[in-house]
Amino acid sequence: MKLDAKIPEGPIEQKWEKHKFNIKLVNPANKRKFEIIVVGTGLAGASAAATLAELGYNIKAFCFQDSPRRAHSIAAQGGINAAKNYQNDGDSVFRLFYDTIKGGDYRSREANVYRLAQESVNIIDQCVAQGVPFAREYGGLLDNRSFGGAQVSRTFYARGQTGQQLLLGAYGALNRQILKGKVKMYPRTEMLDLVVVDGHAKGIITRDLITGKIERHSANAVVLASGGYGNVFYLSTNAMGSNATASWRAHKRGAFFANPCYTQIHPTCIPVSGEHQSKLTLMSESLRNDGRVWVPKKKGDKRPPHQIPEEERDYYLERKYPSFGNLVPRDVASRNAKYVCDEGRGVGPTGLAVYLDFADAIKRDGKQTISDKYGNLFDMYKQITGDDPYETPMMIYPAVHYTMGGLWVDYNLMTTIPGLYALGECNFSDHGANRLGASALMQGLADGYFVIPYTIGDYLARQPYEKPATDHPAFVEAEAGVKSQIERLLSIGGSQTVDTFHRQLGKIMWDYCGMSRTAEGLQKAKGLVQELRQAYWQDVKVIGSGEELNMTLEKAMRVADFLELGELMIDDALHRNESCGGHFREEYQTPEGEALRNDEEYAYVAAWEYQGENQPEQLNKEYLEFENVKLTMRSYK
């Protein structure tokens, strides 16, 4: 299938404005005749639902949490990027665009990224108007700090809880529309299948997580904003409930899945402490503004950090990357942490950690200043580890955090299924092979507040007002398929828990398709995942029934999807014979250990097409064209 990204003609700085004028509109009276389903109520979903309802559309919004306020967007700590140039330090829309393209290792679509940079300036105004309490300077202007991959300060923040505050702003806007009756909210409800009628997305099948009731929902269009798939790795910074079911089931209905191997390893996580853990905790990248990363120069040095003199410390990021120092992009910082630990210079009980030290910042600025910036993060670290970061350095190590891959979308954010849109982390569009810090919140809100309200109208203006009845054969077939899978899982009666299989999958993925990959390791991982999936359907134990609250069943369905998606991630990593961003193949690196791209053969989006149960997926390619930035080796030195 030829992938048409529908990128508008003309200079890049004019594409979006011209496109907004050229697309078809739905007049206000007719908007009331359309119904749109929004799956997910994090930043992308809540902002989309609120804005579409404000325009007059009727919205059904679904989330598996008990409230939209519990979406995983609240976990974003450090900030949100915008090219406001309040610091007067040389920032601009083009610089944000360039930094994002470069940070993604030249594997993202120029037109989408430029639009993101343009809309970033509007997002901040929107959120301030909603009452988001961004940090301010003494004179009252909004404050900024720096994040990785940039030499300007463009990150707006609300202490260490920016995601939570932004979500509360979107949640307030959403609640306004719920009160007006324009949004009908379905909490504790999970999407289990997409309904496609005559080639168009026209509804979903859901399960009430409290009662177990399977329901059909019809609409004129479907918007997915259901987040990423990092929990394939079992241990990640994602909430335990975060999953890929909505996007994966849409993929099996015909939506192409793009770049699944592009997973981000965040360098600033609290290290793994033992087998008892089910998730990991992120320490915000913002800490790298003032914290200095170091390890002992000598291997096996187990002295407490305060006993290691300055001349025996290796501030390796500052040494290797003097221009960016501790604020190199996440993939670079993560790989370098792995290198020094592999050399035997890691710290802590396991040797799989490095220090993030605030002693110099506290000496320079004072404890109160550091507390004002990061106090809640320091408190969280102390509660988890028992160590006080004001007195002793934090210990950090890389962990799975974000997924740059996702459903393929065109410039309008439509998938390969007409009428199905994907926003935020569940699409692939803006971050290439590596996401810069503070760009996830920017993308989610840009998609929800400023892109989808325009582009979905272009589709609906060409569609009839009537939506299919829920007794249409397509709904009957989809519901039967969902019920069949539930019955199959409940009937196995095996001897191993769902978590046992999930933990095994996570270890395979981390060991062979994690921070670094090899062809040999990926081949081995593929066989191991296939064996694990076969064992899963023969020996998993799912207790309870389908007609009740059954969290074991919920997770069993999600892990079934992870087992399939994990294999596709491996296939994608295996076919891409290069290193770029978060995809690091050990066979393809420079003598200095940096990622070695192959632009002649792999400057494309890999969009995978589902071919059926246990069948190899079909690879489709969208070739990337770079007209405004020059393809060069990334350098942060």
Side-chain angles (χ1 to χ4, degrees):
M1 175 178 176
K2 185 180 184 303
L3 289 168
D4 181 6
K6 297 184 171 63
I7 299 170
E9 298 291 328
I12 195 165
E13 63 273 8
Q14 298 175 17
K15 288 182 187 292
W16 180 226
E17 287 304 315
K18 285 187 174 181
H19 188 61
K20 287 193 287 187
F21 178 76
N22 290 328
I23 59 179
K24 285 187 171 292
L25 301 176
V26 180
N27 80 55
N30 288 340
K31 284 174 182 161
R32 295 191 290 267
K33 301 174 183 177
F34 288 112
E35 187 161 73
I36 301 169
I37 284 172
V38 178
V39 180
T41 51
L43 282 178
S47 59
T51 309
L52 291 169
E54 185 77 40
L55 288 172
Y57 296 109
N58 301 303
I59 307 298
K60 283 184 175 182
F62 297 82
C63 71
F64 64 77
Q65 301 95 345
D66 54 3
S67 164
R69 289 183 301 168
R70 292 178 64 83
H72 188 58
S73 299
I74 67 165
Q77 299 163 339
I80 176 171
N81 289 330
K84 285 287 196 181
N85 196 31
Y86 283 171
Q87 303 294 318
N88 198 30
D89 57 359
D91 202 10
S92 64
V93 166
F94 191 88
R95 189 176 294 277
L96 174 53
F97 157 72
Y98 174 80
D99 285 347
T100 306
I101 291 284
K102 177 184 175 183
D105 219 350
Y106 305 92
R107 289 294 178 264
S108 46
R109 188 190 290 151
E110 277 196 345
N112 286 63
V113 177
Y114 196 89
R115 176 176 64 188
L116 176 65
Q118 286 177 300
E119 293 296 0
S120 72
V121 299
N122 298 322
I123 295 168
I124 302 304
D125 296 339
Q126 169 89 358
C127 295
V128 169
Q130 290 175 336
V132 173
F134 287 118
R136 292 181 181 272
E137 296 176 332
Y138 179 76
L141 294 176
L142 297 184
D143 197 11
N144 292 114
R145 56 191 178 200
S146 299
F147 258 61
Q151 291 182 305
V152 298
S153 293
R154 64 161 67 101
T155 304
F156 295 76
Y157 64 98
R159 212 174 185 186
Q161 49 187 258
T162 313
Q164 182 181 28
Q165 298 302 326
L166 291 172
L167 186 62
L168 288 172
Y171 178 65
L174 179 63
N175 266 350
R176 180 170 182 265
Q177 299 304 320
I178 293 172
L179 184 64
K180 290 175 66 176
K182 294 301 293 180
V183 173
K184 183 170 175 53
M185 191 70 226
Y186 293 84
R188 300 298 294 155
T189 305
E190 184 165 29
M191 171 185 159
L192 294 181
D193 206 353
L194 178 74
V195 180
V196 179
V197 178
D198 298 328
H200 290 247
K202 293 298 181 184
I204 61 174
I205 305 296
T206 64
R207 181 175 182 269
D208 185 310
L209 298 180
I210 303 299
T211 66
K213 185 179 180 183
I214 305 297
E215 296 182 310
R216 311 170 187 176
H217 297 274
S218 178
N220 300 97
V222 177
V223 174
L224 299 185
S226 51
Y229 49 91
N231 272 350
V232 168
F233 291 87
Y234 187 73
L235 285 178
S236 80
T237 66
N238 286 265
M240 283 298 292
S242 298
N243 64 86
T245 291
S247 52
W248 187 250
R249 303 292 171 91
H251 171 59
K252 295 175 78 169
R253 288 288 179 185
F256 290 7
F257 210 104
N259 299 337
C261 79
Y262 290 163
T263 52
Q264 179 162 85
I265 313 297
H266 198 295
T268 320
C269 299
I270 296 178
V272 176
S273 60
E275 286 288 312
H276 63 283
Q277 285 182 280
S278 57
K279 75 175 300 295
L280 299 174
T281 303
L282 174 70
M283 290 285 101
S284 170
E285 181 173 309
S286 62
L287 295 170
R288 290 197 275 145
N289 273 278
D290 290 296
R292 300 180 70 192
V293 179
W294 65 275
V295 292
K297 288 183 177 178
K298 292 189 300 185
K299 295 181 180 181
D301 191 338
K302 295 301 181 184
R303 288 177 292 173
H306 65 275
Q307 293 182 9
I308 301 176
E310 193 74 15
E311 62 272 14
E312 294 181 32
R313 300 178 179 187
D314 180 12
Y315 295 91
Y316 57 89
L317 291 178
E318 297 173 33
R319 171 174 56 82
K320 293 180 68 173
Y321 308 98
S323 294
F324 284 76
N326 295 298
L327 285 171
V328 292
R330 291 174 177 177
D331 60 318
V332 177
S334 293
R335 279 197 297 276
N336 279 275
K338 181 179 185 297
Y339 292 156
V340 295
C341 291
D342 289 349
E343 290 171 2
R345 296 194 288 141
V347 301
T350 64
L352 294 176
V354 300
Y355 287 127
L356 182 62
D357 195 339
F358 292 87
D360 287 351
I362 292 171
K363 184 178 179 181
R364 181 186 67 238
D365 299 330
K367 182 176 177 180
Q368 187 58 51
T369 298
I370 298 303
S371 177
D372 289 343
K373 287 182 177 180
Y374 313 115
N376 63 311
L377 297 170
F378 278 41
D379 292 344
M380 183 167 67
Y381 182 87
K382 185 177 181 180
Q383 288 172 7
I384 293 171
T385 67
D387 291 332
D388 185 351
Y390 295 107
E391 303 295 332
T392 187
M394 289 183 179
M395 286 192 288
I396 57 169
Y397 192 70
V400 173
H401 177 57
Y402 186 92
T403 50
M404 285 76 67
L407 294 180
W408 185 91
V409 292
D410 62 17
Y411 189 73
N412 293 321
L413 305 185
M414 188 188 288
T415 69
T416 48
I417 301 176
L420 177 68
Y421 293 80
L423 316 184
E425 191 179 355
C426 83
N427 78 28
F428 87 100
S429 67
D430 291 4
H431 307 299
N434 173 65
R435 178 175 68 78
L436 292 184
S439 288
L441 305 185
M442 176 175 61
Q443 185 210 351
L445 292 182
D447 287 355
Y449 282 138
F450 298 109
V451 179
I452 195 65
Y454 284 97
T455 60
I456 202 168
D458 189 50
Y459 170 76
L460 292 173
R462 308 166 197 270
Q463 302 300 311
Y465 302 128
E466 297 77 22
K467 57 183 183 179
T470 54
D471 60 357
H472 188 282
F475 280 89
V476 176
E477 179 267 331
E479 181 182 324
V482 166
K483 287 182 173 178
S484 174
Q485 188 195 44
I486 291 172
E487 290 165 4
R488 184 183 174 193
L489 283 167
L490 292 170
S491 69
I492 295 170
S495 62
Q496 298 190 62
T497 66
V498 176
D499 271 352
T500 299
F501 283 100
H502 193 186
R503 192 186 295 273
Q504 290 178 66
L505 173 65
K507 181 167 175 43
I508 294 167
M509 298 301 295
W510 177 253
D511 287 348
Y512 301 110
C513 195
M515 218 180 324
S516 64
R517 299 106 187 244
T518 65
E520 182 183 2
L522 290 165
Q523 291 281 13
K524 181 178 180 180
K526 184 177 174 68
L528 290 173
V529 171
Q530 289 175 337
E531 291 172 12
L532 189 65
R533 187 167 76 245
Q534 187 176 5
Y536 183 78
W537 287 104
Q538 293 175 351
D539 198 31
V540 72
K541 184 176 183 64
V542 182
I543 58 175
S545 73
E547 290 78 39
E548 61 178 347
L549 172 67
N550 190 339
M551 297 181 73
T552 304
L553 175 61
E554 285 176 44
K555 178 144 196 185
M557 288 189 281
R558 294 167 186 170
V559 172
D561 294 330
F562 285 150
L563 285 162
E564 295 176 353
L565 175 54
E567 186 175 346
L568 182 60
M569 292 165 66
I570 292 165
D571 286 341
D572 191 39
L574 195 53
H575 103 277
R576 191 172 282 278
N577 293 320
E578 65 165 355
S579 291
C580 55
H583 168 65
F584 192 78
R585 286 278 297 273
E586 293 179 16
E587 305 97 324
Y588 307 100
Q589 57 181 302
T590 67
E592 297 80 26
E594 305 293 345
L596 186 61
R597 294 196 324 268
N598 180 347
D599 295 328
E600 288 187 14
E601 295 185 58
Y602 295 101
Y604 60 73
V605 178
W608 296 89
E609 182 179 1
Y610 185 73
Q611 299 291 302
E613 200 75 27
N614 297 317
Q615 297 298 314
E617 299 218 3
Q618 172 69 42
L619 174 61
N620 300 275
K621 301 175 182 179
E622 178 201 341
Y623 288 94
L624 297 168
E625 297 181 6
F626 294 91
E627 301 173 349
N628 299 276
V629 295
K630 184 180 178 182
L631 282 166
T632 60
M633 175 70 68
R634 269 196 318 171
S635 174
Y636 293 96
K637 297 180 178 181

